[in-house]
Amino acid sequence: MNKISTLTILAICFCGFFSKVNAEEKIFLGDLKPMKRKVGFGNDFLITNGDCGVRDGGSTGAFLIDGKPATKGLFTHCDSEVVFAVPPGVRKFVAVGTMPNYSRAFKDGKPWGEVDRLDGSWSYEVLVDGVQVYESEPLCSYVKKNVSIQIDIPENARHITLKTHMLGNGNCDHSIWAEPYFIKP
């Protein structure tokens, strides 16, 4: 019995050691200072409390990923461009392109005048060292109004550029990079 207990303890310690060795380190982009930042409208940028502050068109200010509340993000009204230096050892970039949690607002019992403007008429683009590595379809073409973005970062990459592009009239283009992280293996 004593021999089995010792083996069990060693196995637990051994597994715990390897799980820490293989753990990924996440770096939230909001904790980094951008090298360049251009937001199409307004001054909002960093979200750390799950509320982007937008109240237009029946929005709650919250934003969702697959129907579940998200808490961190970068708020970049279209057209936008934000450039970050790539930290040493980073091998991936992940984020979810999404929008505030718009409800279909009614005014005086009638649908809000420009409800279709709230459907995500923008796209997301990612460049690594000036080379495009990702471009989304218009956000409105995704059923859940969000798109998963996962980019492999080359070993010697110096900077990453996150862009949003206005594809319609620009009204309420409240684009969010939800849960944006660099990942070290």
Side-chain angles (χ1 to χ4, degrees):
M1 181 78 176
N2 204 10
K3 193 176 192 180
I4 293 174
S5 297
T6 304
L7 289 175
T8 303
I9 291 170
L10 285 173
I12 290 169
C13 291
F14 187 75
C15 290
F17 171 78
F18 277 102
S19 67
K20 288 180 183 172
V21 169
N22 293 327
E24 294 178 333
E25 179 185 344
K26 289 181 164 184
I27 302 168
F28 174 51
L29 267 64
D31 291 338
L32 304 174
K33 183 177 179 183
M35 296 169 60
K36 176 182 178 183
R37 179 183 135 201
K38 177 190 128 280
V39 178
F41 177 78
N43 295 320
D44 293 331
F45 180 65
L46 182 63
I47 306 165
T48 57
N49 63 0
D51 186 341
C52 65
V54 173
R55 299 288 184 264
D56 294 343
S59 168
T60 64
F63 54 104
L64 309 174
I65 297 176
D66 291 330
K68 296 177 183 154
T71 58
K72 290 185 172 188
L74 304 178
F75 176 59
T76 59
H77 193 287
C78 296
D79 283 332
S80 68
E81 179 177 349
V82 185
V83 181
F84 291 94
V86 174
V90 165
R91 292 295 168 259
K92 286 188 183 274
F93 167 74
V94 297
V96 176
T98 190
M99 65 168 79
N101 186 21
Y102 291 121
S103 60
R104 297 300 181 216
F106 286 80
K107 183 176 181 180
D108 301 327
K110 298 178 184 174
W112 183 328
E114 297 181 53
V115 170
D116 28 294
R117 73 184 182 159
L118 306 177
D119 283 336
S121 60
W122 64 84
S123 65
Y124 295 86
E125 180 182 18
V126 180
L127 296 93
V128 175
D129 293 337
V131 177
Q132 183 188 61
V133 294
Y134 177 83
E135 184 174 29
S136 76
E137 297 294 321
L139 189 65
C140 59
S141 68
Y142 299 94
V143 174
K144 293 184 180 180
K145 301 291 189 268
N146 61 61
V147 56
S148 179
I149 302 167
Q150 297 185 10
I151 306 300
D152 290 329
I153 304 288
E155 188 173 334
N156 296 318
R158 296 180 310 145
H159 60 272
I160 189 168
T161 304
L162 310 179
K163 291 184 175 186
T164 59
H165 300 286
M166 180 181 358
L167 303 176
N169 63 13
N171 290 336
C172 293
D173 281 358
H174 302 131
S175 53
I176 297 172
W177 297 84
E179 307 297 331
Y181 290 97
F182 284 123
I183 298 177
K184 287 184 177 183

